Amino acid sequence: MNRVLLTGNGAAAWGARLAEADYIPSFPITPQTEIIETLERWCTDGEMDGTVVTLESEHSMITAAAAAAATGVRVFTATSSQGLMYGMEMIYTVAGWRAPFVLVNVSRALATPVTLEPDHTDVLGARDSGFLQIHCATCQEVLDSVLIAYRLGEDARVRLPAIVNEDGFYLSFTREPVELPDPDAVRRFLPPFRSRGIEFRASRPISQAVAVLGSAPYSYFRYEAHLAALAALPAYDEAAAAFASEFGRRWPAVEAYRAEDAEIVYFMIGSFATKAKDAVDRLREAGRKIGLVRPRLLRPYPEGALRQHLLGKRAVIVIDQNLSMGKGGVLYAELASALYGRPGAPLLVSFVGALGGRDITAEEFYEMAKVARQAADAGVAPEPRLLYTAGELRELRTLQAIAGAERRTIT
Amino acid sequence: MERGVITRPDLVVVADETLVPIPAAGVLQGLSERTVLLLGSAERRETWQDRLKVPGPVLALPVSAQSGDHGVLAQIGASCAGAAARLLGVIRRESLARALQEEIAKFGSAAVAANLECALAAFDAMAPHAGLVAASAEIGAGDYRAPEWVDLPLEEAAVAAPDIHGALTSELAITGTWRTHMPVIDYERCNRCSWICSTFCPDSAIKVAADHTPRIDLDHCKGCLVCVAVCPPHAIRAVPEREAAREHSR
């Protein structure tokens, strides 16, 4: 067993190395850069066989990634936040090529205003693209998920690119003990990609999904990609089972922590779910029947597993580290659609928090549980709430006063 | 183990003492009477304890990021790690040495030796305080202080758009404290080219007077030393900050 201290970025790079990625198009952006720097060093030193190429933008980088994937080689790439946004045209375009590769997104909140810290609005912008999405809570999970993502995307039933998401800073720059899987075991779990017809070659021209089509054939191809994404649900379960038997670590599509006998559960993705786990332990000590349900797989949406875990609960506390302007939390709306009208559907209590990396304190987790309990007793869901304190608002007022014009308006 | 912000630290290590007075750095946030504050500083712990009035114990490591000695500066991280390891009281000297060797190996044996020396010296220096840092208890869910949540009001866009109307607010931030080295112009050698250092300065901290003489705004010069590199007659030299401060006070 080889246990080392790795950042989330280091873990992502190790995932690509162990998957024996052949081609790594790259472009630097905080807080992702360490991933490509690490891979570049390994490829230069000969510790890894792949080729790292720096492109001039994320738009070109994602195009290059998919074009290389279309030759049947294994491709890895990584970006973050504004970089993902800049490449978004190609994110939506290349998913339709049905050539699998893995992209690690290091979540960082979007402008405006500018921040470097994480929330999930960036990766949710790719939600409807056709990319599969796996969301991580620990550095170990980042490494393991890269391997699982390759197996899943390359599955003959699926053949779609996949995003593995980790939180900027809280995972990307935080070193944790990570078990490095044995390379031979990885080769057993993830044999070389058998591309089965994905074989774009020089001097053998084919047209890669460039035909302009009318509505009916267009609908066919779009819906086929959707069906392929749905087929990734059983394929994921198989991949996770194979991973568990090879490496002993279980990464189900939906993680349930002390949830079975729980009356109320937290529902969230990403590294702050580890805080929710801690809150669950403390609340259990205080006699509360509470748990955590964390979807790792967000695309495809594991509706069946979520219903299994959540129907019959009194209330679900949905914590969204994202914001859809004019609607609210994305996870909340999606979960409502999965549970609506089902017998035993729990009350959903929506919180939006941790925007731009804002912390969620233990006290806030306890208070959210209290609000959910009271809502369940009353049978009425409260209005969605932004996690924001009077102290934070006071500090903001100071900033506004410094900024100038607001001084006159506010005071 | 939970990820994210450490709101109630048991140990705070500040490698660079110049961060302490910068509010945005927030290095003193969350300190309680049980939090140990370890500062990389040539000044004595009593001075810091008196200056900061923090509720918990303060310790000083007699090295500083402001040191003019490049060798010591490069190993400040190792020194802090060594001291912190001793303060925790659960890390053995051999384990520290082994971890450092693994960590630094890629930089070559000279770097390993230099870092080991600093780390182990700091480890030994902290012997009187071994085990001073103890893990504080978790906040229980039964008895906690409820967060004071507020509903944000809708405000007009003139207020709620993230614009800065106040002129020159960035001038109020004295970034000159970030320097480890100060650029000093030798006016005998300066050929009054009138534009090279001032144009390359990424912080616009060099102004050229009507007689073509450049002046460095030391309140805002961050010490990047680009000017030192680009000056054609090599008229700008880099002086370690501490040394420069001594020269100034003379």
Side-chain angles (χ1 to χ4, degrees):
Chain A
M1 188 164 56
N2 191 2
R3 232 160 155 251
V4 291
L5 272 180
L6 286 182
T7 59
N9 283 346
W14 266 105
R17 174 169 167 167
L18 288 165
E20 299 179 332
D22 299 297
Y23 180 67
I24 302 153
S26 66
F27 193 81
I29 180 169
T30 298
Q32 164 275 143
T33 307
E34 184 192 2
I35 299 176
I36 53 166
E37 278 177 352
T38 306
L39 290 167
E40 204 155 48
R41 194 174 65 240
W42 287 337
C43 290
T44 308
D45 295 351
E47 288 181 69
M48 193 179 158
D49 271 339
T51 304
V52 180
V53 177
T54 307
L55 276 298
E56 82 283 6
S57 74
E58 288 85 356
H59 191 279
S60 307
M61 178 186 89
I62 290 159
T63 312
T71 69
V73 301
R74 197 166 271 160
V75 177
F76 177 86
T77 189
T79 189
S80 170
S81 188
Q82 303 298 136
L84 184 70
M85 289 297 119
Y86 193 44
M88 198 56 83
E89 181 190 10
M90 295 318 292
I91 288 280
Y92 274 70
T93 300
V94 302
W97 296 6
R98 305 294 304 274
F101 65 94
V102 172
L103 181 152
V104 167
N105 183 64
V106 184
S107 260
R108 176 185 132 190
L110 296 173
T112 292
V114 178
T115 187
L116 296 180
E117 290 171 75
D119 68 37
H120 301 139
T121 306
D122 63 344
V123 69
L124 290 173
R127 185 188 65 169
D128 306 332
S129 64
F131 270 73
L132 312 173
Q133 287 198 13
I134 300 177
H135 289 258
C136 304
T138 69
C139 293
Q140 181 74 61
E141 199 175 349
V142 172
L143 193 162
D144 293 353
S145 295
V146 169
L147 301 178
I148 292 172
Y150 275 111
R151 177 152 163 159
L152 184 62
E154 292 172 1
D155 189 301
R157 292 163 285 181
V158 180
R159 275 192 30 183
L160 284 168
I163 290 174
V164 172
N165 205 64
E166 59 159 310
D167 289 325
F169 294 79
Y170 298 132
L171 288 185
S172 73
F173 295 159
T174 304
R175 291 175 82 185
E176 300 178 5
V178 173
E179 206 169 295
L180 288 182
D182 169 57
D184 288 327
V186 173
R187 283 186 204 107
R188 279 196 299 275
F189 171 75
L190 185 67
F193 179 34
R194 288 174 56 213
S195 62
R196 299 168 198 251
I198 305 180
E199 50 186 12
F200 193 62
R201 290 288 181 279
S203 310
R204 265 199 280 147
I206 61 164
S207 292
Q208 182 87 56
V210 293
V212 179
L213 298 176
S215 54
Y218 176 85
S219 305
Y220 166 82
F221 289 115
R222 295 295 287 181
Y223 210 78
E224 280 301 313
H226 169 60
L227 293 176
L230 289 179
L233 282 170
Y236 182 89
D237 291 341
E238 290 167 31
F243 191 91
S245 72
E246 191 65 68
F247 303 105
R249 287 187 294 277
R250 287 183 191 286
W251 300 115
V254 178
E255 183 194 23
Y257 180 71
R258 305 184 82 165
E260 204 165 327
D261 68 334
E263 294 173 351
I264 293 173
V265 294
Y266 296 109
F267 181 87
M268 63 193 301
I269 57 173
S271 61
F272 275 13
T274 58
K275 289 170 168 285
K277 268 189 185 177
D278 192 59
V280 165
D281 288 345
R282 300 285 93 77
L283 284 158
R284 286 272 177 178
E285 283 165 16
R288 304 291 179 194
K289 283 191 161 179
I290 191 159
L292 163 74
V293 169
R294 173 176 73 96
R296 292 179 8 83
L297 197 57
L298 216 58
R299 280 295 176 274
Y301 196 63
E303 236 163 32
L306 291 176
R307 286 183 189 135
Q308 217 169 19
H309 288 303
L310 297 176
L311 292 178
K313 303 292 179 216
R314 294 190 73 209
V316 177
I317 302 160
V318 186
I319 304 172
D320 271 287
Q321 291 167 247
N322 66 77
L323 184 58
S324 172
M325 312 285 184
K327 175 65 178 89
V330 171
L331 296 186
Y332 167 60
E334 294 212 325
L335 186 62
S337 81
L339 300 177
Y340 182 78
R342 303 266 158 179
L347 203 71
L348 299 187
V349 186
S350 166
F351 292 92
V352 171
L355 296 181
R358 179 207 182 264
D359 194 30
I360 304 178
T361 62
E363 292 92 331
E364 288 188 312
F365 276 103
Y366 306 151
E367 190 68 9
M368 285 188 271
K370 186 175 156 194
V371 170
R373 207 162 54 239
Q374 288 169 347
D377 289 344
V380 183
E383 287 295 303
R385 165 168 288 292
L386 174 72
L387 298 181
Y388 208 82
T389 62
E392 287 173 310
L393 188 56
R394 271 195 301 278
E395 278 174 40
L396 179 93
R397 293 307 187 207
T398 309
L399 284 180
Q400 285 180 314
I402 295 168
E406 288 78 5
R407 198 181 322 210
R408 293 187 296 276
T409 321
I410 293 168
T411 56
Chain B
M1 188 184 67
E2 63 277 22
R3 276 85 182 157
V5 177
I6 298 166
T7 44
R8 299 179 310 126
D10 299 315
L11 169 66
V12 171
V13 182
V14 183
D16 179 351
E17 64 188 293
T18 64
L19 287 172
V20 174
I22 299 173
V27 295
L28 302 182
Q29 242 170 43
L31 263 57
S32 74
E33 65 284 349
R34 14 184 356 279
T35 314
V36 179
L37 176 64
L38 175 68
L39 285 155
S41 174
E43 293 185 82
R44 294 176 331 127
R45 56 184 289 205
E46 290 79 8
T47 309
W48 281 107
Q49 188 98 54
D50 190 47
R51 187 182 290 163
L52 300 177
K53 306 261 186 305
V54 291
V58 179
L59 296 170
L61 253 188
V63 283
S64 161
Q66 283 215 340
S67 164
D69 181 344
H70 267 284
V72 175
L73 181 60
Q75 279 101 45
I76 181 88
S79 298
C80 287
R86 195 60 179 272
L87 292 175
L88 295 177
V90 291
I91 296 170
R92 285 180 300 132
R93 204 171 185 273
E94 308 84 75
S95 308
L96 170 71
R98 208 169 54 243
L100 258 162
Q101 269 159 347
E102 267 177 38
E103 183 76 18
I104 312 286
K106 58 177 177 276
F107 299 107
S109 55
V112 170
N115 278 282
L116 261 184
E117 193 190 320
C118 287
L120 294 177
F123 186 89
D124 296 337
M126 288 294 147
H129 313 291
L132 184 63
V133 178
S136 51
E138 303 267 5
I139 299 174
D143 175 34
Y144 66 93
R145 228 175 100 200
E148 222 186 308
W149 286 332
V150 288
D151 293 320
L152 287 188
L154 170 67
E155 295 179 335
E156 57 180 297
V159 171
D163 305 332
I164 299 173
H165 304 280
L168 302 177
T169 51
S170 60
E171 249 188 37
L172 302 176
I174 304 301
T175 48
T177 56
W178 300 8
R179 271 194 315 270
T180 56
H181 286 73
M182 179 192 285
V184 176
I185 301 173
D186 177 353
Y187 289 103
E188 300 283 299
R189 211 178 263 199
C190 169
N191 64 10
R192 307 300 195 270
C193 74
S194 87
W195 69 276
I196 293 181
C197 59
S198 60
T199 305
F200 278 93
C201 173
D203 282 303
S204 304
I206 305 181
K207 299 270 184 301
V208 183
D211 68 349
H212 304 299
T213 304
R215 301 271 175 221
I216 300 176
D217 168 9
L218 290 173
D219 281 346
H220 298 97
C221 162
K222 295 171 187 158
C224 72
L225 307 181
V226 166
C227 54
V228 175
V230 298
C231 175
H234 306 293
I236 312 179
R237 66 194 169 96
V239 180
E241 196 60 31
R242 217 162 265 283
E243 211 175 287
R246 272 199 298 275
E247 271 177 36
H248 261 270
S249 61
R250 234 175 259 148

